[in-house]
Amino acid sequence: MTFTESTDTPAQPASGDRRRWFALAIVMTAAFMDLVDVTIVNIAIPSIQQDAGASFSQIQWITAGYALAFAAGLITGGRLGDIHGRKRIFLLGIGGFTVASALCGLAVNPEMLVASRVLQGGMAALMVPQVLAIVHATFPAHERGKVFGLFGAIVGLGAVSGPLLGALLMEGNLFGLEWRPIFLINLPVGIAGLILGSRFITESKAPRALKLDLVGVALVTLGLLMLLYPLTRGRELGWPLWGYASMAGALVVFAALVAYERRKSARDGSPLVELSLFRVKSFAAGIAVQTVFGLALGVFFLVWTLYMQIGLGWSPLRAGLTGVPFSLAVSTAAGMSVQKLVPRFGRKVLQAGALVMAAGVLVYVWESERYGLGIASWQMALPLVVMGAGMGLIVAPLTDAVLSQVPREHAGSASGLINTVQQMGNALGLGLVSVVFFGTISDHLAPAAVGPAFVDAFQHALGWVAAVMGVIFLLMFALPKRPAQHVEGASEPVADAEREPAMAS
């Protein structure tokens, strides 16, 4: 990932050039579309299962397939933008994402939907890494702080809007299409982005871009597939021997990746992954935190949706509205953590977030057990607000904390790798749902037994999530007590490094 260290030499628009704000609106809309698409699908899963006749395994792959393709392609997408031009790859990504969304909406069976979701994730991996890179190339340094603040607001808005938008589309049942509009809504947005992006976005690329490490890309993708496919299909197939062999083989593939990247780094200085970063204690710990945190979120969000809509029999709209306090708590706590808490308390804020989130999970388990199938939306508000506050204390400052001891010249590469492993963790969590949730549910349930079975499975899965948050709390002891960005006199170098175009790669 050392390609991310090169600097751009595009002719940046002058401060008075209004075109750059059109370019910002276009790339931010694309980022928003991706964020919404991740969350909007969860709310529609029960309807997809009923209408399309999808199996539990296929349901998992509708979400896991997207996450896996997205995770596996992020590094490659960023590299391609540097080599061939970020505007060009962005337009390719948003065009492909739009086509894939149409295929999802027109899917005639679960297999076509899963394949289209994998394609959609791959196109998002081309599109998303270019967003911050284009911002970097388009805006002068003194304006980037305001722009990145706006990007943070878009992220928070995406978290709130996805479930609600999905619920409203499901409730409206536009043209009798049921769940399909959640994908088809991307078409007008994507087409507009494609047309306006070609006109208003300024092209940029790295002047000394290195060659794409195709062997590294192949090894990463193969290793992930060998690990995640057996986890997702294992229960349905009765945990065959080949599944265990595949998961063990994935470790061999990852070991081969490390050995190959080490040799490639020594040979031509162009590895896919900059292995020297792992010698930095805080970075190595941060990578572990990001991976495990992504795993916990992957498990929770899918299980939560299944619990409310299948277990409790709630409508998509009610489930979407129930999640609003969670999203608002995340956004509020994230803003407070960065602006007020981390500069004063450092690492303790992140550790407090892990404990607070674990406490919210345990309260949720207790309420679910106490109220059973009669639990109301307002009774879920307390644990969801507590969980959301804990998550907000972690997600906003974690990248800064991880990067604080990384050499300045590798900050862009490190940011891209952090983003990638979080997506990998999310895909792994979605795969583990078959173990921690569906593994406790019988394959042949009478209708009256479905609700209680899903409630019990939800409680079991949340117990695992709480345990994972405890592991994250312990891992955070390896992070620096005070991120360098918040030590007086040290903020500017790292902040500048984070704004390198490859931050999103």
Side-chain angles (χ1 to χ4, degrees):
M1 293 177 65
T2 51
F3 70 98
T4 58
E5 294 153 26
S6 56
T7 56
D8 297 308
T9 55
Q12 290 189 349
S15 296
D17 186 355
R18 290 187 299 178
R19 287 169 58 91
R20 71 193 191 284
W21 295 105
F22 285 108
L24 176 66
I26 293 161
V27 297
M28 290 297 186
T29 300
F32 179 79
M33 186 167 65
D34 167 65
L35 287 164
V36 167
D37 206 74
V38 172
T39 54
I40 201 173
V41 172
N42 281 344
I43 208 77
I45 278 176
S47 297
I48 294 173
Q49 183 182 23
Q50 183 176 4
D51 180 60
S55 66
F56 284 145
S57 175
Q58 288 167 333
I59 286 295
Q60 287 176 264
W61 272 104
I62 290 170
T63 50
Y66 181 99
L68 176 58
F70 187 43
L74 272 169
I75 300 174
T76 306
R79 174 68 62 91
L80 289 173
D82 280 349
I83 295 173
H84 299 291
R86 297 175 187 114
K87 174 181 176 178
R88 180 182 298 174
I89 299 301
F90 174 80
L91 294 177
L92 176 63
I94 196 171
F97 190 88
T98 304
V99 171
S101 297
L103 293 174
C104 288
L106 299 173
V108 296
N109 54 47
E111 291 79 12
M112 180 177 173
L113 180 56
V114 170
S116 301
R117 283 286 287 169
V118 171
L119 176 63
Q120 198 179 34
M123 292 299 104
L126 292 179
M127 176 178 71
V128 172
Q130 317 312 325
V131 172
L132 295 185
I134 290 170
V135 168
H136 175 90
T138 304
F139 283 83
H142 69 274
E143 289 184 335
R144 289 188 201 133
K146 178 168 61 176
V147 172
F148 282 107
L150 180 60
F151 183 76
I154 291 292
V155 171
L157 184 62
V160 175
S161 302
L164 267 182
L165 181 60
L168 290 171
L169 289 172
M170 295 285 296
E171 196 76 12
N173 192 20
L174 300 177
F175 308 109
L177 294 175
E178 298 183 346
W179 52 269
R180 298 177 187 276
I182 70 168
F183 297 111
L184 298 177
I185 195 174
N186 290 333
L187 270 60
V189 179
I191 292 170
L194 197 60
I195 296 171
L196 296 175
S198 62
R199 179 176 179 183
F200 290 107
I201 295 175
T202 301
E203 183 60 283
S204 67
K205 63 175 69 174
R208 295 180 299 277
L210 302 174
K211 293 181 179 179
L212 185 64
D213 179 7
L214 293 176
V215 175
V217 171
L219 289 173
V220 165
T221 306
L222 177 62
L224 282 170
L225 286 172
M226 290 175 65
L227 178 65
L228 292 170
Y229 185 78
L231 276 175
T232 306
R233 297 292 310 279
R235 174 183 169 274
E236 184 181 27
L237 300 176
W239 298 108
L241 182 60
W242 65 260
Y244 293 103
S246 178
M247 288 186 281
L251 300 179
V252 177
V253 172
F254 287 132
L257 172 67
V258 171
Y260 176 80
E261 295 296 279
R262 186 177 289 121
R263 288 198 304 272
K264 187 166 178 59
S265 181
R267 185 170 67 245
D268 59 14
S270 61
L272 185 69
V273 180
E274 182 56 61
L275 296 177
S276 65
L277 292 171
F278 290 93
R279 299 192 193 107
V280 180
K281 178 183 175 184
S282 60
F283 179 81
I287 285 292
V289 170
Q290 287 281 15
T291 305
V292 178
F293 190 51
L295 187 153
L297 297 182
V299 170
F300 173 74
F301 284 116
L302 178 55
V303 164
W304 184 33
T305 297
L306 295 170
Y307 163 66
M308 288 189 291
Q309 293 195 54
I310 297 180
L312 301 179
W314 290 0
S315 69
L317 182 59
R318 182 176 179 182
L321 291 171
T322 300
V324 169
F326 178 88
S327 298
L328 294 177
V330 172
S331 300
T332 303
M336 288 181 58
S337 65
V338 172
Q339 297 173 23
K340 297 181 179 180
L341 298 177
V342 171
R344 183 174 179 184
F345 300 107
R347 179 182 71 195
K348 293 178 181 177
V349 175
L350 286 89
Q351 291 185 297
L355 294 180
V356 168
M357 192 168 177
V361 170
L362 293 175
V363 171
Y364 210 162
V365 172
W366 176 77
E367 286 200 351
S368 174
E369 187 173 356
R370 179 181 180 185
Y371 298 111
L373 296 174
I375 193 169
S377 295
W378 67 266
Q379 291 168 325
M380 293 185 184
L382 173 61
L384 288 175
V385 166
V386 174
M387 285 182 64
M391 182 174 168
L393 293 177
I394 297 172
V395 292
L398 180 57
T399 300
D400 285 352
V402 176
L403 288 173
S404 64
Q405 293 180 355
V406 169
R408 184 186 185 282
E409 66 270 21
H410 293 316
S413 298
S415 296
L417 190 54
I418 289 168
N419 194 8
T420 300
V421 299
Q422 185 172 17
Q423 294 299 327
M424 290 179 184
N426 185 259
L428 183 60
L430 291 169
L432 285 175
V433 167
S434 65
V435 180
V436 301
F437 183 77
F438 290 122
T440 66
I441 298 175
S442 171
D443 290 327
H444 305 288
L445 289 174
V450 171
F454 271 66
V455 171
D456 289 343
F458 175 70
Q459 295 165 9
H460 181 263
L462 256 59
W464 281 94
V465 173
V468 168
M469 298 313 300
V471 172
I472 290 172
F473 170 79
L474 296 176
L475 288 173
M476 285 177 176
F477 276 108
L479 297 175
K481 290 184 178 180
R482 287 190 177 277
Q485 291 88 325
H486 304 294
V487 177
E488 190 172 345
S491 60
E492 189 62 27
V494 180
D496 283 345
E498 282 183 31
R499 293 170 185 159
E500 285 299 316
M503 175 179 172
S505 67

